[in-house]
Each structure stands twice: as structure tokens, then as C-alpha cells.
Amino acid sequence: REIVLEAVGQTEHAFQYAHKALRQDRKIVREVVRQDGHALQYADNALRQDREIVLEAVRQDGRALEFAAEATQRDREIVLEAVRQNGWALRCVPEAMQQDREIVLGAVRQAGRALMYAAEEMKQEREIVL
């Protein structure tokens, strides 16, 4: 466990080489994604559906939303956390949520060019564009 956490601290892709049992261990995965949100991609599928794990991952790096299970990608609170942490996460957001004013606004405030992933009607809103 300590070795895996140390390795993840050294390089972001180290978790992929951890034993499957460690990638299925909820406590370890939670600690790992706190250090590197992108490590979520190497976690067991069941943990990629775990709301708490995914929240930890997107708080560390909003782009980790890409590696979350589909159901958690539709969770509004998770999506808001993700786009506020990294506006580029908007590209991983389900199309219906790319029409959500608060989500789009959170994304473009963090990364203005994320507007390219917003729904067309959002691109016409003055407050969002400016």
C-alpha cells in the first residue's frame, strides 16, 4: 500500500501497474485519486461508479470526469465540481448538461475556451460569452 502511494506520488500513471486487488480497494483508490485524479481510469469499474471516489478525483482534476462511469458523469454535483476545477471537463459532460447554464458558466469562468463544448443556445447568452 505504501509503495503504491509513493509510486503514484512520483508519476501519474504508476497506479495502472498496481495489483488488481489494490485497484479494487476503496480506501487505496480514494487516497490515490486525491493525489492524482486521472488515476481513476485505472480503478476497478465498480469504483468508477462510486460517487465519493469520483468526487475526490474531480476535485483533484476535473478532467478525471472522463474516466467516471456514465451514471456518475450525469450527476450534477459531480459535474459542477469537475468544471469548476477544470473548465475543459465540459467536453466530457453529457450533451443535455452542456445546456445547463450553471454548469457552462462554471466551466467558462475557469477556462473561457471551454465554451466550444457548450450547447449552441449557451453560446448565444451574453453573460456566458462575456
Side-chain angles (χ1 to χ4, degrees):
R1 177 182 174 155
E2 287 179 33
I3 293 170
V4 169
L5 293 174
E6 182 64 32
V8 169
Q10 298 293 319
T11 179
E12 63 184 52
H13 296 289
F15 194 52
Q16 70 182 308
Y17 303 110
H19 190 274
K20 184 178 181 177
L22 294 177
R23 290 184 283 127
Q24 293 174 328
D25 184 302
R26 190 174 190 282
K27 284 178 107 174
I28 289 175
V29 171
R30 188 174 61 224
E31 287 181 47
V32 168
V33 299
R34 281 181 180 159
Q35 292 180 42
D36 174 19
H38 272 236
L40 182 64
Q41 68 187 301
Y42 306 116
D44 184 73
N45 285 338
L47 295 175
R48 293 165 69 173
Q49 297 176 50
D50 184 305
R51 191 172 191 281
E52 183 183 334
I53 298 287
V54 174
L55 266 172
E56 290 288 349
V58 300
R59 284 179 179 143
Q60 198 284 322
D61 187 335
R63 295 171 302 161
L65 184 65
E66 175 181 357
F67 308 113
E70 195 175 315
T72 51
Q73 287 179 343
R74 291 190 307 266
D75 182 308
R76 191 167 189 280
E77 182 184 355
I78 290 173
V79 169
L80 276 170
E81 284 283 340
V83 299
R84 287 176 177 158
Q85 197 288 324
N86 188 315
W88 293 105
L90 189 61
R91 76 176 178 82
C92 304
V93 173
E95 212 173 288
M97 295 182 102
Q98 291 172 347
Q99 299 172 24
D100 183 308
R101 191 170 194 287
E102 187 177 5
I103 289 170
V104 173
L105 200 52
V108 299
R109 282 183 175 154
Q110 202 288 319
R113 291 181 54 202
L115 182 63
M116 72 175 77
Y117 299 112
E120 287 303 313
E121 59 268 20
M122 292 290 105
K123 294 176 184 179
Q124 297 171 26
E125 284 207 29
R126 181 178 176 88
E127 184 182 357
I128 289 174
V129 174
L130 299 177

